[in-house]
Amino acid sequence: MPTFAIYPGSFDPLTNGHLDVLRRASRLFDKVILAIAHETEKRPLFTVQERVELAREAVCGLENVRVEEFKQLLVDYVQEKGACVIVRGLRAVSDFEVEFQMALMNRNLAPTVETIFLMPRDSYSYLSSRMTKQIAQLGGDISPFVMPHIEKALRRKYGFST
Ligand code: ADP
């Protein structure tokens, strides 16, 4: 049976750290869906359609990766798709507590769905969408952290000429 994993998140926007985790997942599984959450407590900067478009352009070289949006409870979405693995990225100890809670809660809700954690390249371990947005808002250089089309979209959002 082909292996199939889902990498969920808000991806507001997708950073090179997310891409690093996604590439690793795409080598481990036959098929991976990058699943972008509609509902997020974080009041996203980009609409879900924008986040999907930006991510689609970023993953077009990865043949076994698709980008989708989802609205429902994550474990329901994973089971509807017929996947059995959730991929999450772990940067530092600071991610651990919340990821651990989420993984165990999801296991409680859906015992057959496993969560696995992948570590990005060490140079991305300090990178977050939140910090990238803060730097972009103040006109700083974000080119090491996101792909060029995402850098452009961020600059446009914050009113800088692209
Ligand atoms: P959330 O799902 O909490 O809104 P994000 O959309 O920012 O988080 O990220 C989705 C997943 O990617 C999470 O597992 C998060 O820990 C992970 N992640 C975020 N940034 C990085 C990074 N720089 N390197 C590796 N993993 C990351």
Side-chain angles (χ1 to χ4, degrees), residues 51-108:
R51 285 178 278 144
V52 166
E53 271 168 37
L54 293 173
R56 282 207 174 123
E57 194 172 336
V59 309
C60 63
L62 297 171
E63 282 186 357
N64 60 341
V65 173
R66 277 217 326 266
V67 177
E68 284 189 2
E69 55 187 88
F70 73 102
K71 271 193 177 143
Q72 61 274 60
L73 190 64
L74 175 62
V75 289
D76 289 346
Y77 170 73
V78 170
Q79 287 175 317
E80 277 164 31
K81 287 278 151 193
C84 51
V85 175
I86 296 171
V87 172
R88 295 285 289 176
L90 259 195
R91 286 164 291 192
V93 183
S94 50
D95 276 341
F96 179 78
E97 187 77 35
V98 66
E99 292 291 343
F100 181 70
Q101 258 187 18
M102 201 151 56
L104 292 187
M105 181 53 82
N106 282 336
R107 179 184 284 167
N108 228 289

Side-chain angles (χ1 to χ4, degrees), residues 85-156:
V85 175
I86 296 171
V87 172
R88 295 285 289 176
L90 259 195
R91 286 164 291 192
V93 183
S94 50
D95 276 341
F96 179 78
E97 187 77 35
V98 66
E99 292 291 343
F100 181 70
Q101 258 187 18
M102 201 151 56
L104 292 187
M105 181 53 82
N106 282 336
R107 179 184 284 167
N108 228 289
L109 295 169
T112 58
V113 174
E114 288 294 348
T115 301
I116 68 157
F117 295 98
L118 296 175
M119 271 75 74
R121 199 166 93 188
D122 51 1
S123 57
Y124 294 141
S125 61
Y126 59 88
L127 179 56
S128 67
S129 297
R130 185 179 56 85
M131 217 179 277
T132 306
K133 285 182 281 190
Q134 281 174 349
I135 297 168
Q137 187 170 20
L138 297 169
D141 178 15
I142 51 165
S143 60
F145 312 133
V146 291
M147 289 182 83
H149 70 285
I150 297 179
E151 180 186 0
K152 242 186 184 171
L154 273 165
R155 291 181 59 82
R156 211 176 306 125

